[in-house]
Structures are given as structure tokens and as C-alpha cells.
Amino acid sequence: MGEGKNLKKVCHIAFYHTTMRHWISLLRVTDYIKNILVFFPAFFAGKILAADNFSRSGILFILFSFLCSGVYIINDLFDQRWDARHPTKRHKPLTSGIISWWPALASATLLLLLAMIPAYLLAMQIFWLFAVYLIINLFYSAFGKHVPFLDLLIIAFGFLLRLQAGGIATSVPISAWLYVTIVLFALGFGLAKRLEEIRLLSQHGVDSANVRPALKFYAESFARPGIIGIVLIAGACYMAYTLNAETMQRLGSPFVFVTCLPVIVGIYNYIKLVQAGQQSIMPQQVLLQNRPIQISLLCWIVLMAYFIYL
């Protein structure tokens, strides 16, 4: 009798963890790292610790995460037909049938309400910004992702909305340099996602036209140099930002260019990953797994915090 109870308990725990793992996958929790952008305006303005800016940015991060998860679920609902032909995406919770469409849709609706209602209470501008993000992503899920290069622009626009939301929540104006850098990063992110997809499909001998027809416009011979070029341009823009007289005056130091050193090291290591083609080049995966880039990012944060706040 005791062994039966123990076995039942073990099975219940295993089922619980398996189910949680699938829901975490459906919500794409690892993609929440992109929402850190909402902290950027106040951080670079030297006001992240002022008044309630950090708490407002933190609340916005949570709301944007709810909004994004709702959008991700809707995107997966649209993609089931295509994902069923994909060598790895066919194992996604919705496509494989582990989670059925109706609880997924109910969860998406709940998440969107949990994002939109508090956003309305936080600031009307943020509410409308969330609405624009939702509408644009519904268009992307239904049609936009199948139009080459328009899909990249929509992704970049989503990054800019995150940045703009952070500025609105903390009443901080956003530097043109920051806008340019984020646009470049977002375009590189979009290309990296497509290059990784192309490589994966090629390894499995799958015709990209059967999975996502727009991928045929992103050949590796175009995507790889495109990513490298965008990363290098973004690095050059950052260097120009640190050497700008207004930046030096605002931060009170002529040595802000020192922060370029970890940036250069990070760019070098990322380009190595892109060229090697053996590991994931998705920024969120790289930040979670690549130790040299993690150290470079940490050094950059410490240096920037020193120049901005000390």
C-alpha cells in the first residue's frame, strides 16, 4: 500500500514538472530578457535610482512580459500548420497537442488583460503603446512574418516600443544614439533568428518553403555577412556616442570611451559564433550561455554605472 502511494506521488510530481515545463515553453519565459529594454532610458539618463523610477520600470517589465507571452501564444496558434512540418517546432506544446488550443487561447486572453488593464492605470500613453504593440504583432502573426524584410522591420519596431515605454513610464527623454543602437540590434536579432532557422532546416534536410516561404529570401550568404555588418555598425555607433562631446559633458568625464573595450570584446566573440555556425547565435541564448560575452556585458555595465552614477 505504501509503495503504491509513493509511486502515485512520484508520478504526480513528474506530471506537474512536465506540465510546468511545457507552459514555460509556451509562454517563452526566456524571451523576457528582451523586456529589459524598458530599464534603459532611466539607466542611461542616470535616473534609474531617482524617486520611483526603478519600481515603475520593474512594473512595466512585468506588464510587458505578460503582453509578450499573450502575443507569443497567439503567434503559436497561427503557426500550428507551419510548425507541424518543422523538425523541432513540431514538438512545441501547442503543435504537439500537449496543450490544446482552448486553454492556450484562454491563457493568452488572461495575460493580455493582465497587461492592458494595469497599463491603462499606469499611464494612458503606455496603454496605447501596448495596444499598438498588440495590433502590430497580430498583423505579424497573421501576415507580416510571411513578407520578407517587412518581418524584420516589425521586429525592430517592437524593440523601439519597449524602449519608448520605458521612457514614458519614467518621464525620461530618450537619446537618438540609443534609438539607433536598438534599431540596429533589433535588425541583427531578426537576421540571427532567420540564419539559425536556415541552418537548422538545412541540417535536417527540410525545404524552408514548406516551413516558412519567406526564409528563401534570407540565404546564409546574405544573412551571415548582414549580421556581422549590423553588429559592426552598432559598435561604431556606440564608439561615436562615447566620443561625442555632449556625452562626455553629461557624464562628466572624457574617458567614457573606456567602455568600448568590453563592447569590442563582446562583438568579437559574437562574430566568432556567427562565423562558426556551431552554437546558437540568438542573443537571448548567447547571453544565457556564452561566458566571454557574459563577462564582457558585466564589465560594460559596471563601467557605465561608474561613469553615470559615481
Side-chain angles (χ1 to χ4, degrees):
M1 183 67 70
E3 292 180 359
K5 288 183 178 179
N6 290 335
L7 180 60
K8 185 177 180 180
K9 184 177 180 181
V10 169
C11 290
H12 176 75
I13 293 172
F15 175 78
Y16 173 78
H17 284 291
T18 301
T19 304
M20 285 300 297
R21 178 170 57 84
H22 289 133
W23 276 102
I24 289 171
S25 173
L26 182 66
L27 299 178
R28 298 195 206 177
V29 174
T30 56
D31 281 6
Y32 289 177
I33 195 169
K34 292 183 284 188
N35 299 331
I36 291 176
L37 282 172
V38 301
F39 290 93
F40 278 28
F43 175 79
F44 283 103
K47 297 179 179 179
I48 193 67
L49 302 178
D52 58 348
N53 283 345
F54 185 81
S55 60
R56 290 177 71 86
S57 296
I59 291 170
L60 184 60
F61 173 86
I62 294 170
L63 297 183
F64 230 119
S65 297
F66 288 156
L67 179 66
C68 290
S69 283
V71 166
Y72 293 148
I73 293 173
I74 293 171
N75 182 71
D76 282 353
L77 287 167
F78 274 103
D79 275 358
Q80 284 187 88
R81 178 168 63 93
W82 298 102
D83 288 347
R85 307 169 186 172
H86 196 281
T88 57
K89 290 183 179 181
R90 64 187 178 192
H91 302 300
K92 289 166 71 172
L94 267 175
T95 310
S96 63
I98 294 173
I99 298 175
S100 60
W101 69 269
W102 65 266
L105 183 59
S107 299
T109 304
L110 176 61
L111 286 164
L112 293 176
L113 289 174
L114 287 173
M116 299 298 289
I117 294 174
Y120 177 82
L121 299 174
L122 187 63
M124 183 58 71
Q125 286 178 292
I126 293 178
F127 173 81
W128 286 116
L129 187 145
F130 274 29
V132 170
Y133 182 88
L134 177 58
I135 292 168
I136 289 294
N137 276 279
L138 288 174
F139 171 79
Y140 173 83
S141 297
F143 307 105
K145 67 170 61 177
H146 303 297
V147 181
F149 306 111
L150 175 63
D151 56 347
L152 293 181
L153 293 177
I154 293 174
I155 290 172
F157 188 62
F159 277 70
L160 288 182
L161 289 178
R162 289 174 171 87
L163 193 66
Q164 187 65 30
I168 293 171
T170 55
S171 302
V172 172
I174 301 172
S175 164
W177 288 104
L178 188 54
Y179 274 127
V180 171
T181 303
I182 294 304
V183 167
L184 289 169
F185 170 80
L187 291 174
F189 169 83
L191 268 181
K193 187 174 182 179
R194 278 137 190 81
L195 176 56
E196 189 155 295
E197 189 86 350
I198 291 166
R199 286 174 171 173
L200 177 65
L201 294 174
S202 178
Q203 290 171 4
H204 288 83
V206 177
D207 184 0
S208 62
N210 294 325
V211 177
R212 186 170 295 174
L215 284 177
K216 66 182 180 182
F217 294 94
Y218 297 105
E220 184 165 354
S221 58
F222 162 77
R224 183 168 59 187
I227 294 169
I228 294 172
I230 288 171
V231 168
L232 290 174
I233 293 171
C237 286
Y238 180 76
M239 291 179 193
Y241 162 75
T242 62
L243 295 171
N244 183 273
E246 189 275 333
T247 302
M248 294 181 187
Q249 182 179 6
R250 182 167 59 83
L251 298 183
S253 174
F255 301 108
V256 186
F257 67 88
V258 172
T259 62
C260 292
L261 295 176
V263 171
I264 291 171
V265 173
I267 288 174
Y268 169 74
N269 280 283
Y270 187 70
I271 289 176
K272 276 176 60 179
L273 283 179
V274 174
Q275 291 281 36
Q278 298 173 346
Q279 296 178 328
S280 174
I281 57 173
M282 291 295 291
Q284 65 267 43
Q285 294 299 324
V286 170
L287 290 176
L288 292 172
Q289 298 173 3
N290 189 282
R291 189 54 55 85
I293 292 179
Q294 288 174 344
I295 294 172
S296 299
L297 178 62
L298 179 61
C299 291
W300 174 78
I301 292 172
V302 169
L303 286 171
M304 283 303 297
Y306 171 80
F307 283 112
I308 294 173
Y309 292 98
L310 297 179

